[in-house]
Amino acid sequence: MLKPAVTECNPTALRTDTTASNGPSPLSKHAPGMGVRLRATPDDRPPVQQLLLDHGRMQRFRSCISAPIIDLSALRHLAWSGVPGDLRPLVWKLLCDYVPASEERRKSVLAEKRRQYSSFVDQYFHLREQPSCKFMFHQIQKDLTRMTLLYRRPDLLAMFERILFIWSMRHPGSGYVQGINDLLTPFFVVFLAEYTRVGMCILCLFTSGFRLMYF
């Protein structure tokens, strides 16, 4: 009786040795967030050619977002490889559908969003000590204890508690899940940076030495 052929697979032969390659992976240039640079040092300055490319990207972004009604498809395409820091707050709000593409409506919609959040604070936050909510709020506080920077700024700690608790109350299907505080952090830093450069300093502290050029 003939035995079926047995093919032995050599994992060493099949594994792609990326460290020995002469260049980046063919897929790397298509990956989102390619503008991210981690652990950049003051001496790690881009060459003149890269500075010119960055300037060109900045001009394309500015041209896109200065339109009376922004083409979100074009903006999404530009943002695929990273968003310049100065434009990141507005671009994130647009791509997250937090503000409309119409410049004329943007200010009024943002004011309404803020009014709505204020009403949610009044409606929900006092419930955090209720028996049905106490465990969830305790889990939020437990996660925030790992963010040591917040304990240097009680006002920031209180802000994170409010945001996370209200989000959880508004999403009862999932409620609060451990680690959601880490999802909040980049939004907090990016939107804070719109009003003060302190936001970028906080980013450096939150990320423990990582310096993000684009994300």
Side-chain angles (χ1 to χ4, degrees):
M1 182 176 67
L2 294 176
K3 295 182 179 180
V6 178
T7 303
E8 292 187 1
C9 179
N10 184 351
T12 305
L14 294 179
R15 187 176 64 244
T16 301
D17 188 355
T18 56
T19 60
S21 63
N22 295 325
S25 164
L27 296 178
S28 63
K29 64 181 180 180
H30 301 297
M34 281 304 296
V36 175
R37 302 180 64 212
L38 301 180
R39 297 195 183 279
T41 65
D43 295 329
D44 186 16
R45 296 183 177 88
V48 174
Q49 184 179 9
Q50 185 61 47
L51 290 174
L52 292 174
L53 289 173
D54 289 345
H55 178 73
R57 288 189 71 247
M58 176 70 81
Q59 293 304 313
R60 289 193 293 275
F61 266 101
R62 291 192 184 280
S63 176
C64 182
I65 64 177
S66 63
I69 299 180
I70 295 172
D71 183 344
L72 293 179
S73 295
L75 181 61
R76 195 172 291 111
H77 177 75
L78 281 173
W80 180 255
S81 58
V83 182
D86 291 343
L87 306 180
R88 199 173 295 147
L90 176 58
V91 172
W92 278 32
K93 289 176 186 176
L94 287 163
L95 295 183
C96 290
D97 198 28
Y98 188 72
V99 295
S102 169
E103 183 181 12
E104 184 179 359
R105 296 181 52 235
R106 205 169 297 151
K107 189 174 181 179
S108 61
V109 169
L110 185 58
E112 174 59 23
K113 296 272 189 182
R114 290 171 174 168
R115 186 205 63 76
Q116 188 180 52
Y117 176 74
S118 180
S119 71
F120 288 157
V121 173
D122 295 337
Q123 181 179 354
Y124 294 112
F125 196 56
H126 69 280
L127 301 175
R128 63 191 182 281
E129 296 300 333
Q130 295 292 325
S132 59
C133 302
K134 199 168 185 177
F135 176 80
M136 181 173 69
F137 188 63
H138 174 70
Q139 182 62 57
I140 291 171
Q141 291 180 311
K142 187 177 178 181
D143 277 2
L144 294 180
T145 58
R146 295 194 293 271
M147 303 174 71
T148 54
L149 176 65
L150 292 181
Y151 281 85
R152 304 177 197 172
R153 290 292 303 270
D155 52 341
L156 297 185
L157 176 62
M159 184 187 302
F160 268 64
E161 288 177 346
R162 285 195 302 271
I163 294 172
L164 292 170
F165 183 78
I166 290 167
W167 185 92
S168 302
M169 293 295 289
R170 294 284 300 167
H171 296 81
S174 63
Y176 183 79
V177 179
Q178 183 179 4
I180 289 182
N181 60 303
D182 293 326
L183 299 179
L184 169 61
T185 302
F187 288 96
F188 167 75
V189 173
V190 167
F191 295 149
L192 177 64
E194 184 176 12
Y195 302 98
T196 172
R197 297 305 297 176
V198 172
M200 300 313 294
C201 297
I202 292 176
L203 171 61
C204 295
L205 293 172
F206 265 121
T207 52
S208 302
F210 284 84
R211 182 182 172 198
L212 277 67
M213 306 298 289
Y214 296 108
F215 68 97

